Amino acid sequence: MENSKTFTIHTELINGKLEGARNIYMGANPCHLYVIPRAEITLADSIPNIFGQSALYILLGPTDVEKPLAYIGQTTDFANRKNDHVQKKDFWNTALVFISDNHQLYGDDVRYLEYLGIKEAQKNGTFKLLNSANPKKPSLPTYRTSDMTSFFSSIRFLCTFYGCGIFENTQQKATQKIHTEHLYFIQATNRPAKGCGFYNEQEKRFTLLKGSILATNVAKSFQMGASRDKFIKEHCKTNKGEIVLLHDVSFDSPSRASNFVLGRPSNGWNDWKDSDGKKLGDRRLNE
């Protein structure tokens, strides 16, 4: 039976070489990734989708080091912009150039994509960014913000498919690799709070995993403030305004764990959900 999630990713070898320049794209999706080695960067002058078109781009240094170097930029004409980077930046050996094949990207659009890209790369911390400043969030119409957020999802997917993890949440991947238990997630809708953990049926305990982010503020109806403050002091650190759990911590119930993450009263059996959206309580009843 055909899988409804199946789709095709195309890779065109521009010069017929496996390690040379290539064009990677997903069927009718307008987002294209052009991978261009530095030695072949003049190809940008002859590719119609790049020449004179707006683009988000990433300059990558050697990736066989613990924390590779990268630079994220935007331009209304990469074919022209690349000349400056060839002259002034020595660290990079590959350019990843993201364009829209329908040429529907404009100046404010790529500035917004750059804002999203730098923010995501800094959050994940897998590459050392050489950008000298963080761009301000551009003001776009609501519909255009939605379009560019969706377009950035395609950028992130193609980047990962190529093998560049600059936008990957490696902390979550590491957690999922280390822990073989069925994982559950929780996230606040109105504050920065995000948790990940698993329930041990035999011990009747819920383990909140390292890297979970606790809400900085608590609701007025929350009555566990003192014990939560003590928990944060003993088990967390504040990093860039976020309260981050330093190590795995086991709780006597899923609700206590979700209370601490969200900073409000919570029914953990309903609020903890797995990657398929199934509640912890539903799975427990079915076992």
Side-chain angles (χ1 to χ4, degrees):
M1 184 172 67
E2 185 177 352
N3 187 339
S4 61
K5 295 183 180 180
T6 299
F7 62 92
T8 301
I9 299 178
H10 303 269
T11 300
E12 297 178 350
L13 305 180
I14 295 176
N15 281 337
K17 297 183 295 184
L18 287 175
E19 301 302 321
R22 68 203 81 167
N23 172 20
I24 305 173
Y25 60 97
M26 300 175 284
N29 189 305
C31 183
H32 283 231
L33 163 58
Y34 283 89
V35 180
I36 310 178
R38 185 177 184 128
E40 300 177 49
I41 199 63
T42 55
L43 283 173
D45 297 327
S46 59
I47 298 174
N49 274 342
I50 294 179
F51 187 81
Q53 302 300 327
S54 296
L56 176 79
Y57 62 90
I58 307 172
L59 304 181
L60 296 176
T63 56
D64 57 347
V65 295
E66 182 176 352
K67 199 163 189 176
L69 302 179
Y71 177 89
I72 298 175
Q74 54 79 26
T75 178
T76 55
D77 183 359
F78 180 78
N80 181 58
R81 184 77 175 107
K82 61 130 171 53
N83 298 326
D84 187 60
H85 290 320
V86 169
Q87 294 175 8
K88 298 180 180 179
K89 289 181 170 59
D90 295 328
F91 78 92
W92 64 280
N93 56 20
T94 305
L96 308 185
V97 186
F98 300 90
I99 59 91
S100 172
D101 70 351
N102 60 18
H103 301 166
Q104 296 298 308
L105 286 181
Y106 306 102
D108 285 343
D109 295 336
V110 289
R111 281 188 283 273
Y112 188 77
L113 293 174
E114 179 192 47
Y115 163 78
L116 292 178
I118 291 176
K119 181 181 178 182
E120 190 74 12
Q122 288 178 335
K123 181 180 75 173
N124 294 326
T126 52
F127 282 65
K128 180 179 179 180
L129 289 190
L130 299 182
N131 296 74
S132 58
N134 293 340
K136 293 182 179 179
K137 183 178 181 179
S139 179
L140 291 178
T142 302
Y143 80 93
R144 202 60 184 160
T145 299
S146 178
D147 288 345
M148 289 304 101
T149 301
S150 176
F151 195 84
F152 183 73
S153 296
S154 297
I155 287 175
R156 182 165 50 191
F157 183 87
L158 289 177
C159 198
T160 302
F161 175 80
Y162 163 67
C164 174
I166 193 169
F167 300 133
E168 285 190 80
N169 189 331
T170 54
Q171 186 177 59
Q172 183 177 16
K173 284 184 66 179
T175 296
Q176 293 176 341
K177 184 176 181 180
I178 293 171
H179 294 277
T180 59
E181 296 85 355
H182 195 91
L183 296 182
Y184 290 86
F185 307 89
I186 199 168
Q187 184 170 354
T189 57
N190 59 347
R191 63 187 75 186
K194 185 184 298 184
C196 176
F198 62 89
Y199 184 69
N200 187 311
E201 183 64 40
Q202 289 184 329
E203 297 179 4
K204 308 297 182 185
R205 298 185 68 83
F206 189 92
T207 298
L208 187 63
L209 297 181
K210 173 183 177 181
S212 293
I213 299 173
L214 279 64
T216 53
N217 300 315
V218 299
K220 292 182 179 180
S221 58
F222 189 68
Q223 299 180 354
M224 302 168 63
S227 58
R228 185 177 185 268
D229 289 343
K230 183 174 183 291
F231 176 87
I232 290 174
K233 185 176 181 180
E234 293 177 352
H235 302 290
C236 303
K237 69 174 181 178
T238 300
N239 182 24
K240 296 181 180 180
E242 294 182 335
I243 301 173
V244 183
L245 187 63
L246 292 172
H247 45 252
D248 299 354
V249 179
S250 178
F251 289 82
D252 57 9
S253 74
S255 295
R256 189 172 181 84
S258 57
N259 283 340
F260 277 27
V261 172
L262 300 177
R264 63 166 176 80
S266 164
N267 183 335
W269 298 108
N270 289 332
D271 293 341
W272 287 106
K273 298 178 181 178
D274 65 14
S275 58
D276 294 323
K278 295 182 179 179
K279 299 176 182 179
L280 171 58
D282 292 343
R283 181 175 183 270
R284 187 188 184 209
L285 290 173
N286 293 329
E287 288 183 341

